[in-house]
Structures are given as structure tokens and as C-alpha cells.
Amino acid sequence: MHSHEPFIGDLKHRQLPSDEQEALLAALSRSMAMLEFTADGTLRDVNDNFLNLLGYRREELIGQHHSMLCDPTYVATGHYEQFWQHLRAGDVISGTLQRRRADGSTLWLEAICSPILDAGGQLQKVISVAADITAYIDDSRQSHSVLNALNRSLGVVELSADGIILSANSNYLKTMEYLAHELVGQPHRILCPDDYAQSPEYAAFWRDVCHGRFFSGRFQRRARNGRTVWWEATYSPVLDARGKPEKIICIGADATYRVTREVSDREHLHLLSLGINETDNAVIITDDNNRIVFHNIGFTRMLGFQAQQVIGKRPHELFAAHPNFVKSIERCHGELLQGRSFHTEELIHNMNDQPLWMSAVVNPILDASGKLINAVCVMTDITNTKVHEVLQYRVLNAMARDSSLTEQMNLLCEEVERVAPEVIASILRVDEQGRLHTLAGPSLPEIYNRAMDGVQIGTSVGACGAAAFSGEPVVSADIESDPRWDDFRHLALPHGLRACWSTPIKSSDGKVIGTFAFYYRQPRSPSAFHHLLVDAGLHLCALAIEREASRARIHQLAFYDSLTGLPNRSLLLVQAGQAIATAERGRSTVAVMFIDLDRFKQVNDSLGHQAGDELLRTVATRLQSQARRSDIVGRLSGDEFVVVLTQYDDNHLAEVVKRIQDRLSQPVHINGTPLNPSASIGVALFPANGNDIETLLHRADIAMYQAKAVNRGRFSFFSEEMNSMAQERLALEGALRDALRGGDFELHYQPQIHLRDHRLHGVEALARWPHPQLGNISPGRFIPIAEESGLIGELGKWALEEACFQLSDWRRRGIKVPSISVNLSATNFHDLELPQFVSDLLQRYSLSPTDLTLEITETVLMDTNPSTNQTIAAVHALGVPLAMDDFGTGYSSLGYLRKLPVGELKLDQSFVRDMVKDEAVSALTNAVIRIGESLKLIVVAEGVEDADQYELLIKQGCDVAQGYYFSRPLTADNLEIWIRDFMAGKENPG
């Protein structure tokens, strides 16, 4: 919109030559004449004063062109066109005008022409208000004082007919910055810009003035210092009796500030208009009646409404079909009436009924009294962000709650159907054999879901089968006519499924692992909103499916033997414990079979480890083939297997064991070599031989050794006589006690090497027992005895003190060993005095906390002793690092890593051994390394025996390694020699 000063200001600045001045002043007191004409000049309306002044009847004017009121010579000039150009530009035109009466005579009017523009800035109509000054020449005695007042307030300059300045009043001189003698006698053109002064337009201006034309308007002039002055004035010719111009009187005022401000305002409004219209946001403005009075182009782009559908409507009328949004609009209006801003996020529908999420901020505009006069609403399309937010919230929350994959996928489908009710969502998984399995389809008929389960993917297996097969989205806009549905159309159409859009779900390596499908109840293609939903849902599906697969793989590797697929010791103990508990409640029996392959080491030595592995897999398969659904088959380690028989007939148990033994002894060909395997089996019974699985395993083990001692390939049931075999173990326990008191144990040290820069990371202290009569007794034999006899705590403390002493001695003699690791059992952490014991050792041997690392096994994680966590926390508070030993072989849980303050993960040697030849194991080691990397833990690989393992660990980014590839465990003296050679090798790599 344009704004102008009121007409009275223009009238105040008008002045006629001296012989007409009093007539003009008298005319100002008369009633005004009014005229209205359209943008094309058509006269629309006149008032009675105008009709009386010009002598026309109303019907003679209405519908005629404005030019009929003007002098024909004026209409023919360019000035008349300029008059219209100013009006179209929104400029108010004021001044003295010459008009023709109905009888052809001329009259003079002092008038103002005000243009009325529409919202687009286009001229709509013009209102002209005028007063007749023709016949008012009076000798009023008050004229002189009024004219003096005009002279004081306006600038007046008198010019000759040929444009020479004759005189100028002080206001004019001040405006133009001239002294009187500098200006009088100069041509008028010195006040004009050079290009205009030399132009034909300027010449025509003087020619018309000399012909008696009056000119009113804004004129660009030049002050003495070159400054531009906008001069708003009237040029009035004074004619002699013959109609010849005697002189020209110019009366006006400096309008420079107003013009500059109007230009600035127009530019500002233009930029504001551009900003509002070119933004992607939708903007509407309502009035005090809550009716829309303005909307920008963004509103049309976002919601599809045109001006004629919006202007004058109340906002809720546009969305009457969506009552929830209408309630929000009504709540918004209530807040605005209270003078408060309003913000909301809503799922709405545009004019084409397409859903979009919108964030709206509405601000009230109040008058001085606090009354609402307008409200400005800015709406932002947040569909893309909100779709991701809404879908992710429920699914990720379900993941955090550790809910099942099926529950997670059903939640996703339900959320999609909530925001897009026209959709029926379905998620299928694709297995390794390329078959479809239903994960979620809460709104699909159950019979349809069952029919699709297990179907092989292919190009003619509906949209989902085709999408999974091709790896590309498939749109079946009409199931009835789509050839891909030929074999499945009879399943879909009876349930009202008329169209389907299926998108493949891909894993991080690009493999198709499922499909995400939208079904429709009528033939159609997906909308842009549906694409947003699928884009947001696909990565959630992939994340959930891959997460479930990873968990299954981790569970498989953690609880199942990677070679045979049988439950490992950890899972076996749990399952067997549950079976025993069930048998105890039902007062039934359980048989535990401990199976050891005979001469298995010879197979490994003669045919190689691969042949040995193949034999173990064969044994596992044969055991599973003989077991019933209720039986439990597991592998303990090496060539040792366990079968737990439940619900068996006591009278036929021996026959069952014999049948299993016979099945195991059947010939087998491995790598073309015939083998006749055999197994020694020991059997212990619940409750006769023990009340828990550990006891039963122990006694079945004793029975197995008894059978093997008599002759290989036999089986034996545990009896009390077998306890004599346990006496050796008791004797060994006594020897163990004596060894701890007599100092017969010694520590060997195995180096740990940084793989990135091949420097020494530290050494692990390993207990060794050289017995004077029994020879070297392996840790695998004396450590379990120490644990069972309660000596493990004492052994751990001895190892701690010996290790600290040795490290201190090395430091004193300048042998650079960065740190030393000592293994402790769960029993050590039951001792609340352990932290003080460690602190005293460090102080006694002048060691820092980081010189010592305590290695704990996963049994510590499962320990329920209340002292354990307290002791661990106290040790950690000392600054002594903790390492998780044999990670992945027991009840591994990432949750425990989060809770326990461990600094190292030690990757069990069983994984390192198989990582080169088993991709699954390699993937697990890589996953453990990534876990360590994410948790900022050092990962130490144990049991590195060859260059292939070494190179693969480097490739996977492992931090530290130890094993025979670098060095066997060494005595302290031999380790010093090894370190010297190792350092010499680093200094002389050639």
C-alpha cells in the first residue's frame, strides 16, 4: 500500500498570481467537487457539486472517458500520459487544473487526484477532489495576512516568459542554497539537472506554460552545491489581456525528505514482499474477525489453496474435514485473544488431501488498548523430519527395551498406518535360502501372512518376491492386471488388497535381507508422503533385522561351539541345570554322559587339524541324530562331548548308551582316509551320583577315565569305587597347599606386543608348578583344584606379590618392561582387603598403579557375591587397570562392559585360532575389536600362533597380541634375554 500526506497540506502550499490570489482564497471556502474514475479512465461516479460546477447531467458523464473533461490540446500531449503514469505508480497528483464545462467554457479547479491500488499494486480507481477557483476574485480585507503567512511557509519564485528568474523569496533561496543576487537574472535551467535542462521534455514544459498551462507535481531540481532537491510545486502562468504570458509564478515546498522516505519505503516493501513470497514457509494474516486477509505464495505452494478459496475465510473453514486440527485452531485463537503467541506441530492435509506435518507459530498484533487486530501465522513443512522422529521414537524405544524383532516391526507398521490410514504395512524377512518370512503385518489377514511365509523369492512372486529378487522397488498399481501376481492374485484380491508397493530392505553390505511393503485397498501408486514414510522406515527395518542377526550370531558364538554348532560349556551347564531342576520337581532321573574320543590326538597329528575338525563335526552330527528332542547334546572342549538324557527308562539306559557308542564307532572317511573312531563314555546319574550338573559332570568324567583305563571304546557308570581315582586329586590338592607354603610355584612371563608400532606393551604373568615327583603340572590341572579347594585366593595373592617384586627388580636393573598383567579369580574379588593388599604392594615396590593390570574372567561378571562389585570399584579407584580375560567364551554381555571399569578386552585364543579359516569367527573378532574401539578399550588377542593370524589382526585394527608367534611364556631370566634380542631387532630391522 502507498501512503500520502492529506490534501490540506497540498492546498496550503498553493498560490496564484497577485491578480487571482484573493479569488483563490475565497474559493477555498466553497464545497468540494468529487469525481471517481476507473483505471482505464471511465467515469464511474460524480457528486452534485461536480455536476453543478461543470453543467452536466449525471447520465452525460457516467461511462464516458476522463479526457472529455480536459482541453483537447492537453489530451494530445505527452503530459496527459504522464498524468496517468503517475497515477498508475501510486503517486498523488495535486494542483491547479483546467477543465471544460458542458457549454465549452473553461473553469479552473484546485484539485487532488488520489489513486486507489489493489493488493497487487495495480491501479484500481482514482478519486478526485476539487474546488472551483475560477470565479472567486474578491477584495477580502483579510487576504493580505493570509498571503503573508503563505509567503513565510512556502517557497516562491517569479520567472519571465522566457525562463529568466525575476525574484525569489527567502524560503526558496534557503532551499536552493543561493543568495538573491546569485540567482536573480539566471535562467531557470540552472536549477535543473543537465540532462533534463537540455531535453525536449524541458522545452515542451516551457512551451506549454507559455500557452497558459498550469503544472503541478514533484520536480527534480539541483541546489547550488549540486544536491538533488525534490520540489513539490505549481507553475502558474500570468497572462495579459491578449492571453499572452507575462510571467510565471512557481509556488512550492521542499519534498526531498518525503520523496526519499517514500522511495526507501517502497524498496523496503518490495524486499519484504519478495522475502514473504519467495520463502518456502506459508504465511497468512487474519483480521480482528479471524478472517484471512493475506496469504503468501508459499501458502499456495504448501497447501494448494488459491486466493479466492482463502481470502475472507476463517482458518478452521479450510480444514473442516479434520476435526483434530480444527480444535487446535480454536485453541490458538483463544490464546491470541489473550495476547499470547501460539506454537503447535500438527499432522494436517492439504487441499489435495495429502498429509503433511506442519509447525505453526502464530503471533498476535494488538492495538494500543490491547485488542487483537491482526494475527500473523508462519507455517513450516516439517514432514520429513517428523516422519523420521515419529517412526524412530517407537521403534528405537522398543529396541532399548530389548523387545523382540517381531514386536519392533509390528510397532513400525502400526505407526505407519496411524499417520497414513490408507496404507496397510507389511515387513518380510528374506533368509539365507531366499525365502520370505513374515515379520510384521498387523492389519493383513492372518491367512494371507501364513500363505506368504516360506515362499521362494522370484520375478513372479508378487511385489515383495519380485522386489527381494531384483533388489529394486516394485510398484503393482493394480494387482488384478499385474502379471507378477498371477500365482498369488487369488490370495490378495479376496481380502481387498488391490495394489502393492514393495521396497527391498538392504543390509550395510547391500544384501537384500527383507522387504517393506505398502498395500492399498484400491488400484493406485504411492504418494510423495508414502515415499517419505518408506525412506524413514527402511533404515529402521535394516537396523532392527541386522541387529537381530548380530545378536543371534553373537549368541551362537557365545553359547554354541563354532566348530560343531553344539551348545558350549556355558550353555550346556545352564540347560542341564534346568533339566535337573525339572527332574527334581518331577522326582525323575537324569543321566549325564561324558564322552571322550579315543586317540583323537593321533588324528590331528597324522591327518592335520582340518581332519580333526571334520571328525569332531561328524561326531556332533551322530550324537544329535541319536538324541531325542528332550535330550541335551553339547561340546565341552577339544574332543570332549556331553549328552544329558532326560525321561529315560532306567532298565534300558545301558542300551541307549551302547547304541550311542556303536553309532559313534561306525567307520568314516575323512579326506579320503578311512577312520574307525571310538569313544570312551562315563555315565553319572541324578540324583544317585549328585544333585547338580557340576558334580554329575565331574563324576561322569571320573567314570569315563575309569572306562578308558580298562580299555578304550568302553563305557562305565560311576560307582563309589571310582572315588579311589579321586584320591589322586586330593593328593594333588595337598601338594598344592605345600607348594604355596614352600614357594615351589614360579611365574613365567609372556610378552604382549603392540601391533601398530611393534613395541612391547607389557608381559602377562602365568603361574607354573614344577613338582619334584610329578613333573610340570599344567595350570589346566592345578588351577581347577585351587578353585575347588579354596586356595585360588592365596595363589592369586602370591602371583601378585611375585609379579610386583619381579617388575620392581627389572626396573631397578634398567630392563624396560612397561607393565605386568596378573590373572585373578572371582574368589580374589570376594576379599574386601584385596584393594589394600594391592596398594601396599605398589607402595612397597615403588610401582605406579598403571604398572599393574589385573585380569578377570567372565565368571567374575556372573558372580553374585556382594563383595565383588565393591572390591572391583575399590581396585579401580586405586588407578589399577582391569582387563577382561577370555572375552567371548562365557556369558559375554555388552551390558557388563558398560558397568565394569575395564580398560582391556582379551580376545580368547579359541577365536584367534579359527579366525583365518572361519569367516564367522573372523567377523566376531572384528566385531569385538570394533566394540573395544567404540568403548575406548585396548583389545589384546591371545594365542597368536602364525603369520596369517598376525596379519589378519593387524588388518582388523587389533591393538595388542601375544602368543607363540612372538614368544612362549618364559622364565624371568629368559624374558630378559628375549627383551634384549627384541630391542636389538627393533634398532636393527634389517
Side-chain angles (χ1 to χ4, degrees):
M1 295 293 292
H2 297 266
S3 62
H4 300 276
E5 294 181 8
F7 177 58
I8 190 170
D10 294 313
L11 199 59
K12 177 182 174 184
H13 296 168
R14 301 294 177 258
Q15 183 171 349
L16 292 175
S18 56
D19 57 348
E20 299 180 13
Q21 292 171 355
E22 293 183 359
L24 174 58
L25 293 174
L28 292 175
S29 64
R30 299 291 301 271
S31 300
M32 308 300 286
M34 298 184 65
L35 171 67
E36 179 181 343
F37 50 94
T38 63
D40 62 359
T42 303
L43 302 177
R44 289 181 54 180
D45 197 10
V46 295
N47 69 351
D48 291 340
N49 284 335
F50 191 89
L51 294 173
N52 292 335
L53 282 178
L54 274 72
Y56 284 100
R57 295 191 302 275
R58 186 178 302 276
E59 59 270 18
E60 291 177 323
L61 290 181
I62 301 303
Q64 300 300 316
H65 196 272
H66 172 268
S67 59
M68 70 171 289
L69 302 174
C70 304
D71 189 318
T73 59
Y74 167 64
V75 173
T77 66
H79 294 291
Y80 186 63
E81 178 56 31
Q82 290 178 14
F83 168 78
W84 280 102
Q85 290 176 0
H86 282 294
L87 291 176
R88 295 187 191 101
D91 295 331
V92 175
I93 300 175
S94 61
T96 305
L97 306 175
Q98 188 180 31
R99 290 293 179 258
R100 294 171 62 88
R101 289 194 177 93
D103 59 6
S105 61
T106 298
L107 80 161
W108 296 95
L109 300 176
E110 186 74 12
I112 178 169
C113 296
S114 300
I116 307 299
L117 307 183
D118 62 15
Q122 299 297 313
L123 180 63
Q124 196 174 31
K125 63 180 179 179
V126 179
I127 304 296
S128 176
V129 180
D132 183 8
I133 62 171
T134 305
Y136 294 89
I137 300 175
D138 192 9
D139 57 353
S140 172
R141 287 186 297 226
Q142 299 179 3
S143 298
H144 183 71
S145 61
V146 175
L147 292 176
N148 284 338
L150 291 174
N151 187 57
R152 286 193 300 271
S153 61
L154 299 177
V156 181
V157 61
E158 184 177 350
L159 306 153
S160 67
D162 55 357
I164 301 300
I165 299 172
L166 302 176
S167 65
N169 72 352
S170 60
N171 283 336
Y172 190 85
L173 293 172
K174 185 187 296 182
T175 300
M176 296 304 178
E177 301 176 1
Y178 279 97
L179 297 175
H181 70 274
E182 293 175 329
L183 196 57
V184 173
Q186 297 295 327
H188 176 265
R189 66 172 55 91
I190 72 166
L191 300 171
C192 303
D194 291 339
D195 56 345
Y196 175 64
Q198 305 301 324
S199 69
E201 183 182 357
Y202 182 69
F205 165 78
W206 276 107
R207 184 178 63 249
D208 290 343
V209 169
C210 291
H211 281 83
R213 288 286 313 282
F214 285 76
F215 284 89
S216 295
R218 290 174 183 169
F219 305 93
Q220 188 177 1
R221 295 292 181 254
R222 183 174 61 188
R224 187 174 184 276
N225 64 357
R227 177 176 64 88
T228 296
V229 175
W230 284 97
W231 185 243
E232 188 166 33
T234 297
Y235 285 83
S236 301
V238 179
L239 306 179
D240 60 15
R242 294 173 296 174
K244 298 294 184 179
E246 291 182 346
K247 56 185 175 180
I248 313 298
I249 303 297
C250 175
I251 303 173
D254 185 359
T256 305
Y257 173 76
R258 190 171 1 136
V259 171
T260 303
R261 187 182 64 188
E262 289 174 359
V263 171
S264 176
D265 288 348
R266 281 196 297 270
E267 291 176 351
H268 176 73
L269 289 172
H270 176 67
L271 292 175
L272 183 61
S273 175
L274 282 178
I276 291 176
N277 277 319
E278 294 306 317
T279 180
D280 287 336
N281 293 336
V283 179
I284 62 172
I285 300 176
T286 57
D287 61 12
D288 55 347
N289 289 319
N290 197 29
R291 295 189 181 277
I292 299 172
V293 294
F294 170 83
H295 73 86
N296 70 339
I297 298 173
F299 184 82
T300 300
R301 283 199 298 262
M302 183 184 295
L303 298 174
F305 293 102
Q306 300 299 320
Q308 62 271 22
Q309 300 168 299
V310 174
I311 300 300
K313 297 287 185 64
R314 290 187 171 92
H316 72 265
E317 294 175 359
L318 303 180
F319 303 98
H322 305 284
N324 289 337
F325 187 45
V326 169
K327 290 179 181 178
S328 183
I329 293 173
E330 292 171 349
R331 189 170 68 253
C332 168
H333 189 60
E335 292 292 311
L336 296 174
L337 290 174
Q338 298 299 318
R340 294 189 291 264
S341 296
F342 183 81
H343 174 252
T344 186
E345 292 182 358
E346 299 283 349
L347 177 62
I348 65 174
H349 292 71
N350 62 19
M351 186 178 178
N352 299 319
D353 206 33
Q354 292 300 309
L356 62 89
W357 251 290
M358 175 269 295
S359 172
V361 178
V362 191
N363 291 308
I365 299 174
L366 310 176
D367 63 12
S369 64
K371 179 184 176 184
L372 180 68
I373 56 175
N374 289 102
V376 179
C377 174
V378 178
M379 292 171 279
T380 305
D381 186 348
I382 59 170
T383 304
N384 194 18
T385 302
K386 199 67 178 180
V387 163
H388 283 80
E389 176 187 324
V390 168
L391 297 186
Q392 287 179 0
Y393 174 78
R394 294 198 68 186
V395 176
L396 295 180
N397 187 48
M399 289 183 184
R401 289 187 286 102
D402 212 23
S403 61
S404 68
L405 177 62
T406 299
E407 181 182 350
Q408 295 167 22
M409 296 298 92
N410 272 308
L411 284 174
L412 177 59
C413 289
E414 289 168 359
E415 195 62 26
V416 166
E417 292 169 358
R418 184 182 70 83
V419 298
E422 69 278 10
V423 164
I424 301 173
S426 165
I427 300 173
L428 302 179
R429 181 173 59 85
V430 180
D431 65 18
E432 294 293 334
Q433 290 73 42
R435 295 186 178 276
L436 298 172
H437 299 281
T438 301
L439 282 179
S443 297
L444 285 172
E446 185 60 31
I447 189 172
Y448 183 82
N449 284 330
R450 288 198 303 269
M452 295 302 295
D453 200 73
V455 172
Q456 186 74 35
I457 64 174
T459 56
S460 300
V461 189
C464 293
F469 186 80
S470 66
E472 299 293 333
V474 171
V475 177
S476 294
D478 189 349
I479 290 176
E480 189 169 10
S481 60
D482 192 326
R484 287 173 291 213
W485 286 84
D486 286 349
D487 297 334
F488 298 90
R489 189 176 293 114
H490 67 284
L491 295 174
L493 294 179
H495 298 293
L497 306 178
R498 304 300 305 277
C500 181
W501 170 41
S502 183
T503 305
I505 303 168
K506 296 184 179 180
S507 62
S508 55
D509 59 1
K511 180 183 177 182
V512 176
I513 56 177
T515 61
F516 189 20
F518 284 4
Y519 288 88
Y520 302 96
R521 298 174 181 86
Q522 63 278 332
R524 59 165 294 171
S525 295
S527 68
F529 184 67
H530 297 160
H531 279 275
L532 281 178
L533 291 173
V534 167
D535 289 343
L538 274 179
H539 83 279
L540 290 172
C541 294
L543 176 64
I545 294 174
E546 284 193 288
R547 179 175 179 266
E548 183 69 14
S550 297
R551 291 178 61 182
R553 175 60 62 87
I554 291 174
H555 183 272
Q556 178 74 22
L557 293 173
F559 294 101
Y560 290 84
D561 175 49
S562 60
L563 178 65
T564 64
L566 295 177
N568 61 14
R569 181 183 182 87
S570 299
L571 183 58
L572 177 68
L573 293 177
V574 173
Q575 292 178 339
Q578 292 171 347
I580 291 171
T582 300
E584 185 174 18
R585 288 193 299 271
R587 297 185 178 183
S588 58
T589 57
V590 172
V592 176
M593 298 172 55
F594 196 104
I595 303 168
D596 183 82
L597 297 184
D598 300 325
R599 295 177 295 277
F600 178 72
K601 186 175 184 299
Q602 296 178 14
V603 174
N604 273 338
D605 292 343
S606 59
L607 300 179
H609 286 286
Q610 289 185 345
D613 290 346
E614 183 62 30
L615 177 59
L616 291 175
R617 283 192 287 267
T618 300
V619 169
T621 301
R622 290 178 175 181
L623 287 175
Q624 287 177 308
S625 69
Q626 295 299 306
R628 300 164 302 168
R629 182 180 296 273
S630 61
D631 296 336
I632 303 168
V633 179
R635 181 189 177 200
L636 287 184
S637 62
D639 60 347
E640 296 175 341
F641 295 84
V642 171
V643 176
V644 179
L645 302 175
T646 62
Q647 301 174 4
Y648 63 88
D649 184 351
D650 293 348
N651 298 323
H652 297 90
L653 178 59
E655 297 176 12
V656 173
V657 176
K658 184 66 171 66
R659 186 178 71 248
I660 291 175
Q661 193 169 46
D662 291 344
R663 181 73 180 92
L664 293 179
S665 63
Q666 290 179 3
V668 61
H669 285 76
I670 296 178
N671 295 336
T673 302
L675 294 177
N676 292 292
S678 67
S680 299
I681 301 176
V683 184
L685 305 178
F686 168 83
N689 305 137
N691 294 319
D692 59 82
I693 183 59
E694 293 285 3
T695 301
L696 293 171
L697 277 177
H698 172 62
R699 293 184 173 180
D701 187 15
I702 292 175
M704 183 275 297
Y705 275 109
Q706 176 69 21
K708 191 181 287 285
V710 175
N711 192 12
R712 287 185 172 88
R714 296 172 58 89
F715 67 89
S716 175
F717 285 81
F718 178 81
S719 65
E720 290 300 327
E721 291 78 11
M722 292 179 184
N723 284 330
S724 60
M725 298 177 60
Q727 297 305 314
E728 179 187 351
R729 187 180 184 90
L730 291 174
L732 201 59
E733 180 181 329
L736 179 63
R737 294 181 187 275
D738 294 338
L740 282 171
R741 296 189 187 100
D744 293 340
F745 281 96
E746 61 184 37
L747 288 182
H748 286 195
Y749 305 91
Q750 186 171 41
Q752 299 172 326
I753 307 300
H754 275 288
L755 295 182
R756 291 186 177 87
D757 52 13
H758 207 66
R759 60 185 172 84
L760 184 62
H761 172 70
V763 297
E764 180 180 3
L766 301 168
R768 295 293 185 262
W769 185 11
H771 194 277
Q773 288 81 34
L774 302 176
N776 290 325
I777 301 175
S778 72
R781 191 173 181 191
F782 69 76
I783 292 295
I785 295 176
E787 288 178 338
E788 292 178 9
S789 62
L791 297 174
I792 192 68
E794 187 177 348
L795 181 61
K797 285 189 172 183
W798 169 84
L800 275 173
E801 182 157 10
E802 182 69 17
C804 289
F805 164 77
Q806 186 60 64
L807 182 60
S808 175
D809 181 61
W810 280 331
R811 294 280 176 84
R812 180 178 56 79
R813 293 187 289 114
I815 298 171
K816 298 180 180 179
V817 176
S819 64
I820 194 163
S821 300
V822 179
N823 291 276
L824 294 182
S825 71
T827 304
N828 289 112
F829 287 92
H830 295 171
D831 184 3
L832 293 175
E833 297 180 358
L834 176 65
Q836 186 60 48
F837 178 78
V838 172
S839 177
D840 292 344
L841 285 179
L842 295 176
Q843 185 175 3
R844 184 187 314 158
Y845 294 109
S846 301
L847 299 176
S848 66
T850 55
D851 291 334
L852 177 65
T853 297
L854 301 184
E855 296 190 9
I856 59 177
T857 62
E858 296 182 16
T859 56
V860 177
L861 298 180
M862 306 305 297
D863 193 9
T864 59
N865 191 298
S867 302
T868 300
N869 288 337
Q870 183 179 346
T871 304
I872 290 175
V875 170
H876 176 66
L878 294 175
V880 176
L882 296 176
M884 177 64 66
D885 195 17
D886 300 334
F887 182 73
T889 60
Y891 291 90
S892 302
S893 171
L894 300 184
Y896 289 117
L897 291 182
R898 177 174 59 84
K899 295 176 183 177
L900 288 178
V902 297
E904 287 186 4
L905 290 182
K906 299 201 72 177
L907 187 62
D908 188 69
Q909 60 183 349
S910 62
F911 296 138
V912 175
R913 181 186 65 237
D914 297 333
M915 66 184 295
V916 174
K917 55 189 176 183
D918 191 327
E919 291 184 1
V921 177
S922 177
L924 178 63
T925 61
N926 186 59
V928 172
I929 293 170
R930 299 287 78 77
I931 290 171
E933 184 180 276
S934 300
L935 298 178
K936 295 182 174 54
L937 304 178
I938 296 173
V939 178
V940 180
E942 298 181 298
V944 180
E945 296 183 354
D946 56 45
D948 290 339
Q949 296 167 349
Y950 171 71
E951 295 294 337
L952 183 54
L953 287 169
I954 291 178
K955 182 178 179 182
Q956 291 186 344
C958 186
D959 302 305
V960 178
Q962 67 185 87
Y964 287 1
Y965 180 72
F966 305 104
S967 172
R968 292 174 176 270
L970 304 170
T971 64
D973 293 339
N974 288 337
L975 181 71
E976 293 177 21
I977 298 172
W978 184 90
I979 291 176
R980 184 187 62 215
D981 294 342
F982 176 74
M983 297 305 295
K986 285 179 66 66
E987 295 172 1
N988 302 286

